[in-house]
Amino acid sequence: MPKILASIKDLSEAKILINTDIDIIDLKDPLKGALGRLSEQDIIDIIKFIDKKKLTSSTVGDLPNNEALISKNVNEISATAVDFIKIGVYDNFYINTLCKIKSSTKLIAVFFADVFLPTESEIRSLKESGFSGVMVDTSNKKLGNLFAHTSSSEISNFLEIAKKLDLLTGVAGSINETHIAEIVKLNPNYMGFRGALCKDKLVRNSEISQHSVNNIINLVNDLKQN
């Protein structure tokens, strides 16, 4: 059964999630793109508050294909004691670059269904270079959810390849309540939410709502019991 990843933008949202059944708290700034990065101090403050009560992840930002710049951001975030670092893969040429990135923190490569999904060879290259996992997401949140850009069978193939290589897997991309049953069937390690947790579900930068969080958790828990 997939666990739940919830993306937050600040400490106040971390406080909403800390005593819930959310499994991993993901740090990112939705105003700065699909994988917008929070400031180093904000990351430090949130990680300190969470205090290992939840697993945590952080994005490095929507970065260009530049090894030095990606490494700089990875190193800065590694120093905050976050559990996972998510790095976007915006075209095939990124993969060679990411294979050179090294970190003591577990690295997750994020692919975008509205851009491209990787081949088995490309996923294997990331695994062999030391990556711990892969996710599928969407880069342009205005162009619809994950299933507007790819099929369940394509996502299933992506996940099967990753699982065969013993990589962690995640599915995100403007998914909401209506997608939970389908994603549970696909069975990634994590399903990631942001907009579906907000007070205004059409505005990703609106505040997270306790009611919306509880609704997602209850829907997932109901499927666990069936």
Side-chain angles (χ1 to χ4, degrees), residues 121-225:
S121 173
E122 288 171 328
I123 297 174
R124 187 178 297 277
S125 294
L126 289 165
K127 167 67 176 180
E128 291 174 350
S129 75
F131 269 72
S132 296
V134 291
M135 285 188 68
V136 58
D137 201 335
T138 55
S139 65
N140 190 333
K141 306 303 179 181
K142 296 178 181 179
L143 295 180
N145 64 65
L146 177 68
F147 294 99
H149 303 284
T150 189
S151 65
S152 290
S153 62
E154 288 174 316
I155 298 170
S156 178
N157 183 60
F158 171 84
L159 296 174
E160 285 177 13
I161 292 168
K163 290 174 184 178
K164 185 171 66 176
L165 295 170
D166 198 27
L167 287 164
L168 287 171
T169 58
V171 170
S174 297
I175 57 176
N176 58 42
E177 298 92 330
T178 66
H179 305 120
I180 290 175
E182 182 64 30
I183 293 170
V184 167
K185 291 179 186 176
L186 292 168
N187 198 31
N189 294 111
Y190 291 96
M191 54 178 123
F193 299 92
R194 170 65 199 178
L197 306 177
C198 293
K199 291 178 182 176
D200 185 341
K201 292 179 171 52
L202 299 178
V203 181
R204 294 174 66 245
N205 194 49
S206 71
E207 296 293 329
I208 280 180
S209 154
Q210 186 75 66
H211 172 77
S212 297
V213 171
N214 290 343
N215 183 46
I216 292 292
I217 291 171
N218 290 338
L219 287 169
V220 173
N221 286 341
D222 286 346
L223 285 169
K224 287 180 181 178
Q225 294 168 9

Side-chain angles (χ1 to χ4, degrees), residues 45-100:
D45 291 343
I46 293 169
I47 296 299
K48 183 178 180 181
F49 167 75
I50 293 172
D51 192 29
K52 299 294 183 183
K53 294 181 178 71
K54 302 279 187 187
L55 288 173
T56 55
S57 62
S58 174
T59 61
V60 296
D62 286 330
L63 299 178
N65 185 7
N66 181 301
E67 182 185 349
L69 183 59
I70 295 172
S71 290
K72 175 179 179 293
N73 279 269
V74 166
N75 290 338
E76 288 175 357
I77 295 172
S78 292
T80 69
V82 72
D83 294 299
F84 301 98
I85 297 176
K86 293 162 58 182
I87 310 175
V89 187
Y90 301 92
D91 61 47
N92 301 80
F93 297 106
Y94 271 77
I95 293 173
N96 286 336
T97 302
L98 295 194
C99 286
K100 301 173 186 176

